Structures are given as structure tokens and as C-alpha cells.
Amino acid sequence: MTRQHNVTPAPTTRGNTAPGTAATAEWWRDAVIYQVYPRSFADGNGDGMGDLQGIRSRLPHLRDLGVDAVWLSPFYASPQADAGYDVADYRATDPMFGTLQDAEAVIREAHHLGLRIITDIVPNHCSDQHEWFRRALAEGPGSVLRERFHFRKGRGANGELPPNDWESIFGGPAWTRLPDGEWYLHLFAPEQPDFNWEHPAVQDEFRSILRFWLDLGVDGFRIDVAHGMVKAPGLPDIGRGEQARLIGSQVLPFFDQDGVHDIYRSWRTVLDEYAGERIGVAEAWAPSVERLALYVRPDELHQGFNFHYLNTRWDAEALRDAIDSSLDAMRPVGAPTTWVLSNHDVVRHRTRLGGGLARARAATLLMLALPGSAYLYQGEELGLPEVTDLPDEVRQDPSFFRASGQDGLRDGCRVPIPWSGTAPPYGFGDGGSWLPQPADWAALTAESQTGDPDSTLELYRSALAVRRSHPGLGAGDSVEWLEAPAGVLAFRRPGGLLCTVNTTGEAVRLTLPPVRLLLSSRAPFVPTAPAVSTPSALAALSSSRQPSNARSALDVPENLEVSEIREIPAEATIWWEE
């Protein structure tokens, strides 16, 4: 019989139902989860760096926003070579962010407010300051601790060449040579040596780490580089360069190896020891959505990030294909599909999608209308754009300083959040901000947008309130597509909700069943009075003159008795209720 830990998890925000009741069962299937990047969220001690005290002080903002859970990026003890993703001690909090007691206080306060807490865990690699790695270096070749990492002799006459041709994701070789002649593997920065997951001690250690944080009350883990950890036997060459560009599109010997699934089956048994539906979320870059689905089989993890959708361009046909393929891949394994537009590693979607704020708002309402779980990244509810003009001297992304790796522009989405006031640091803290904030962000602060019905913040609050109360949003595993012209998506969700998305730059006239407006991404938006039509009236109208700024979409189904002709603005998503 599985051992059950009785640490109290968070209550649900949906109806304030107590944990353990039917309403909280599998809460993660349609949850809206908000990512907090700790150093950029809120500064509680005035040193210019976000911290746990700051996060705790701003939790009411997240409760009022209407999210179900908060995902915290790493706050573990770390030299910060990669913003905390180089962990020196997985059971300690870095002094930059506070103390372990501060972390416990965040968890308690979040649960009190009806929020769950998901923490990052980084199992593919650690810091070069981790005790194991430091001892492995000190003990030299032949040390048993080197077996917990990937140490190898080099190639060439004198071992002067790396053991294989693998490249770091951050650029340059994935191997660093030591003075004693051996090389060690690091798929990211040299300060981040990869663990050898074939070693039992590594497996045991991470099961212990999971239990440590679960005992403190966390509700789950987002697993960094979940597709890593296991390497192909023999560490074979790839045979070509620019390997980082192949991630997520081709099979690579260091990513998405079948052996990772044994790890997650082991982890699932640990999660299931605890009451309250504790979950695991895979950050997995897989070559296909079908490969991603393997991570979320019933005996493995609960969710996997849908990077396929994140990378889809703003095009109706491409979006429909991504939605269908994502849902189709998850359905056989019974897992919810996840949807995400922004995170700490990509350009903010307001900038990345083009089209400015109107397109970003439309993309958000589309995402929130889909079945499954949605992820938000801090600041997107304020409509923040990517900061593209940071001077080189303030950048801290390690890939910026290494050639041929990632673009090195991740700092632009990590600029601290503007909370209040008319000038930097906009209420972030009393000591400035670790990355400079734009001088024109005063209108984007949470304070300035609160209460403004046309603001992006109030749009997010309204959308999440409707999503919580409407039975058709988030539920299920499919959408019912409706007829729509090129550039437009129209679909029905359970409970009589219709979603229409115009991805074009022109207004579109669309035939719908009788509906009432629930929410529009365009603000202000006052829908025109609908034309109630019979088939004969529609046929006549389709041949009459049309406004110069509108395109006709008046296909008339033969069995249609009563319908409405609605105009959908350019770059807009609208929720309707039948």
C-alpha cells in the first residue's frame, strides 16, 4: 500500500472547495499556472534584486488575478552563473532570495490565499560548486564521485580533443578539460556539469530532494530540461554543428532518450505518496508532440510544456493545426494539453508575434479558451513588451557571452515588473532594479491599470473569472470547429461558449448562431446589432454591397433556420455565449 503524507496542500481557487473533495480532484487538468521569476518579480529588502519576501508581499495580486497555482523559478543556493539554474545545494535557499523560512512562509501564505505552489527542480545538471562536483575535482581521476558526472578522457594523441563533438546549448563545446587531463560534460555553461543519471546515487539523491520540498508543502515541480538527464550509450558524435538549432525538431543523443521515462515513473511513485494531487510538469523539448505525450503517460508526469504551440506563428491555419495536433497527441494518454505563450527563456509574445498589444491580447483569449491547462508568465497580464535595447554592459544571460549558442537575448523578458509609480523602479523595490526598466512603463504598472476596464490587466482578470465560472472553458479534450473564412478561427466549447478569432488585419463578417457577448480582446468593443437572418435573407445579403473594410463570410448552411451576422474586428478574439 502506498504511503500517504498528510502535509496540507493548497485549497482550490475554484469555489474555495477544501482539498480532497471531488471539486479538487485532478485540479491540474484545467489549472491556470503563473510563472514567477523571483529576481524580477518584487524586491522585499531594497537591494535591487527580487526575493521571497517580495513574492510573498505580491501574492494577493495573483489571487486577485485569478490564477490557480504559482510556479517559482529557482531560488536554491547558487553562484548564479545561470540565474539560479546552476544549483549548489538543492535543500537551501540562496541568501540573495532569503532563507528557507522565507520559502516556507511563501508556501503557507499562498495556501492561505487559495494558491498552490510549484517549484522548479533542475536535475540534468548542478553547479560546479555543488559538494559532489567539488570533491570529484579534488580527488582527481579515478574518484568514485566522478562516476556521478560524465568525466572522460579526451581524443587525439594526447587527449587534447573533446571526447565527442557535442556542443553546449549556450555555445562552444559541451566539454571542458581539467588540469589533470580529463574532460567533463556540460550541455549548458561550464559551471553546470551534467549528472550521470545511470548512477544509483544520483537517482536516490533526487528522490530525497523531492520529498524534502514535498514535506515543506509544495504542490509540485516543474522539471527543468526534463528531456535531458539520460544520454545515448557511448555518447556518439552528432556529425554536424549548430546543434542548438536542432533541439525540438530532430533526435539528438543527449536529449529525449527513452531512459528518462524510467526516472519519471520512479518520481511519480514519490508524488503519489503525498495527499493533495502533487504534480510533475515536464519542460521537455521533444521532436514531436507525439514524443512529448510519452512524458505524460498515466504512470509518469502530469503535464508537459507545449512548445509546439508556443512556436506557432499568428496564422489561423497554423494555429488550428497546432491545436488539433496537440489535442490529438495527448488524448490517447489521457493527459491535459498545456498552452503557453511566454516564459523566461523566450521573447515576450507581445513582441514575438508582431502586431503589438492587440494581437497579444487576442492570442491570450484564444489560449484561455482551449481545453487543458494554461501558463502565464509574469508581466504578460500587464501587456509588457520585450525590452530590446538593453545595453551590453547590463546583460547577464550567460549565452550572450558565448558564441554560436542561444540568441543571448533572454534578459529582455526578465526585466523587473512595474508595480506602481511614474518612474523606475516603479514600485519594484526601494533599491532600483537589477536590470534597467524602460522610462515609458508608467502606463503599464499594475497600479495604473487596476480599475481601468480597457486595460490589459483587467482583461486578464475578467478572462480568468469567466474561465473559472464557465463550464466550457478549460474542460474537455477537444474543440468543435465551425465554418469560418480564411484567417479566422471559430469553435464551440461545452456549455454553449463560442470563440471567434480574427488573425487578419481587417474586420470580418461572420455568421453565428444567436449569441451574446461575453468578452472581447478589443477594448473598447461594442458589438453591432446582429442581423437575424433566414437562409434566403443571407443569400440575398451575400450578393449585396459590403463595407469596404470588411470581408464577407456568409456561407449559408442548408439546414440553418436562424442565425446572426456578426462583425469581428481585426486582430481580435471574442468569447460569445449561445
Side-chain angles (χ1 to χ4, degrees):
M1 183 173 179
T2 302
R3 176 168 55 113
Q4 286 283 320
H5 297 253
N6 293 315
V7 179
T8 302
T12 180
T13 58
R14 296 177 185 269
N16 295 318
T17 309
T21 65
T24 63
E26 298 190 330
W27 63 271
W28 40 273
R29 286 193 172 275
D30 60 355
V32 177
I33 300 173
Y34 184 101
Q35 181 188 0
V36 166
Y37 192 68
R39 62 171 56 202
S40 298
F41 192 64
D43 175 16
N45 63 7
D47 66 356
M49 186 70 67
D51 50 39
L52 291 165
Q53 291 182 20
I55 292 170
R56 185 183 179 190
S57 73
R58 295 294 184 180
L59 286 175
H61 168 80
L62 303 182
R63 174 202 58 198
D64 296 344
L65 185 61
V67 301
D68 299 294
V70 181
W71 153 32
L72 300 178
S73 291
F75 52 85
Y76 306 111
S78 166
Q80 304 296 319
D82 184 24
Y85 285 90
D86 52 316
V87 180
D89 187 342
Y90 289 86
R91 296 178 182 82
T93 299
D94 195 282
M96 172 190 300
F97 300 119
T99 65
L100 191 60
Q101 289 70 34
D102 290 327
E104 292 181 273
V106 168
I107 296 168
R108 287 196 306 269
E109 182 67 14
H111 288 177
H112 175 72
L113 295 174
L115 299 167
R116 288 179 164 86
I117 291 291
I118 296 170
T119 58
D120 243 312
I121 191 165
V122 188
N124 179 71
H125 49 262
C126 63
S127 166
D128 61 357
Q129 298 304 303
H130 190 283
E131 180 186 4
W132 285 3
F133 192 75
R134 292 174 63 186
R135 288 174 54 194
L137 295 187
E139 293 177 9
S143 166
V144 294
L145 283 170
R146 292 200 177 194
E147 297 173 4
R148 301 179 185 184
F149 301 91
H150 294 278
F151 282 85
R152 296 289 188 278
K153 294 181 180 180
R155 296 192 292 193
N158 299 303
E160 71 277 9
L161 300 177
N164 65 23
D165 67 354
W166 293 1
E167 295 174 352
S168 164
I169 308 306
F170 289 163
W175 297 89
T176 290
R177 194 179 192 189
L178 298 169
D180 59 33
E182 288 196 338
W183 299 73
Y184 69 89
L185 176 68
H186 53 85
L187 290 178
F188 293 85
E191 297 88 352
Q192 296 168 289
D194 280 41
F195 284 114
N196 174 16
W197 270 87
E198 294 182 3
H199 199 289
V202 175
Q203 300 172 25
D204 291 344
E205 172 69 357
F206 272 89
R207 282 191 291 265
S208 174
I209 292 167
L210 294 179
R211 289 191 176 97
F212 176 85
W213 289 102
L214 290 167
D215 287 341
L216 288 182
V218 303
D219 301 285
F221 301 93
R222 176 265 190 186
I223 302 162
D224 185 61
V225 197
H227 52 293
M229 298 142 83
V230 174
K231 279 64 175 176
L235 311 184
D237 284 339
I238 293 174
R240 60 163 293 181
E242 297 188 333
Q243 296 165 13
R245 299 183 184 277
L246 306 179
I247 296 172
S249 63
Q250 296 189 32
V251 175
L252 295 169
F254 49 72
F255 281 160
D256 193 38
Q257 298 294 303
D258 289 340
V260 298
H261 300 293
D262 291 332
I263 298 170
Y264 298 133
R265 291 187 186 97
S266 172
W267 286 19
R268 181 60 179 260
T269 63
V270 174
L271 294 169
D272 288 347
E273 292 172 5
Y274 289 78
E277 297 280 352
R278 314 300 177 93
I279 70 168
V281 182
E283 185 226 17
W285 289 87
S288 67
V289 288
E290 291 78 16
R291 289 290 299 180
L292 176 63
L294 299 179
Y295 290 79
V296 290
R297 288 175 287 191
D299 60 345
E300 295 191 42
L301 302 175
H302 300 75
Q303 294 183 351
F305 280 0
N306 189 352
F307 292 113
H308 177 50
Y309 184 75
L310 182 150
N311 289 326
T312 302
R313 66 188 186 280
W314 184 246
D315 172 84
E317 183 177 358
L319 288 165
R320 178 167 175 169
D321 287 346
I323 292 167
D324 282 342
S325 62
S326 299
L327 292 169
D328 289 346
M330 295 299 137
R331 198 175 297 115
V333 296
T337 306
T338 64
W339 314 99
V340 61
L341 292 169
S342 291
N343 64 37
H344 67 290
D345 280 334
V346 300
V347 173
R348 286 187 176 274
H349 71 273
R350 172 176 174 175
T351 302
R352 188 184 73 252
L353 294 178
L357 184 57
R359 182 173 293 180
R361 288 163 59 110
T364 295
L365 277 199
L366 166 59
M367 177 182 76
L368 292 175
L370 296 172
S373 179
Y375 279 77
L376 308 179
Y377 177 54
Q378 64 177 40
E380 71 171 81
E381 78 275 19
L382 305 178
L384 297 186
E386 186 82 359
V387 179
T388 58
D389 58 354
L390 289 169
D392 291 354
E393 59 269 19
V394 305
R395 292 189 179 276
Q396 299 195 28
D397 183 351
S399 63
F400 179 76
F401 303 99
R402 293 170 63 86
S404 304
Q406 292 176 334
D407 292 337
L409 300 177
R410 296 182 299 172
D411 289 321
C413 66
R414 301 174 177 182
V415 172
I417 299 299
W419 292 101
S420 60
T422 59
Y426 301 112
F428 173 70
D430 296 333
S433 60
W434 68 281
L435 284 174
Q437 299 159 301
D440 60 354
W441 272 14
L444 297 177
T445 66
E447 179 184 61
S448 68
Q449 294 191 50
T450 296
D452 177 359
D454 296 337
S455 72
T456 300
L457 176 57
E458 294 299 345
L459 173 68
Y460 272 70
R461 287 172 172 168
S462 297
L464 294 178
V466 173
R467 183 179 165 103
R468 287 197 307 277
S469 63
H470 198 287
L473 289 170
D477 60 5
S478 63
V479 299
E480 177 189 349
W481 294 107
L482 306 177
E483 290 292 330
V488 176
L489 297 174
F491 57 88
R492 180 180 281 113
R493 302 287 291 118
L497 183 134
L498 267 63
C499 180
T500 57
V501 186
N502 181 3
T503 67
T504 76
E506 300 177 351
V508 173
R509 303 186 77 192
L510 191 63
T511 302
L512 298 174
V515 291
R516 70 178 183 90
L517 175 70
L518 276 182
L519 191 62
S520 171
S521 65
R522 280 286 186 177
F525 173 70
V526 179
T528 57
V532 180
S533 304
T534 64
S536 59
L538 284 171
L541 182 59
S542 67
S543 61
S544 66
R545 69 180 184 276
Q546 300 294 326
S548 59
N549 66 339
R551 296 185 292 115
S552 179
L554 305 180
D555 296 331
V556 185
E558 292 181 359
N559 62 349
L560 181 66
E561 295 182 357
V562 178
S563 63
E564 297 178 347
I565 302 166
R566 296 282 188 166
E567 184 169 284
I568 313 300
E571 306 277 12
T573 296
I574 301 178
W575 292 352
W576 311 89
E577 189 170 47
E578 294 183 274

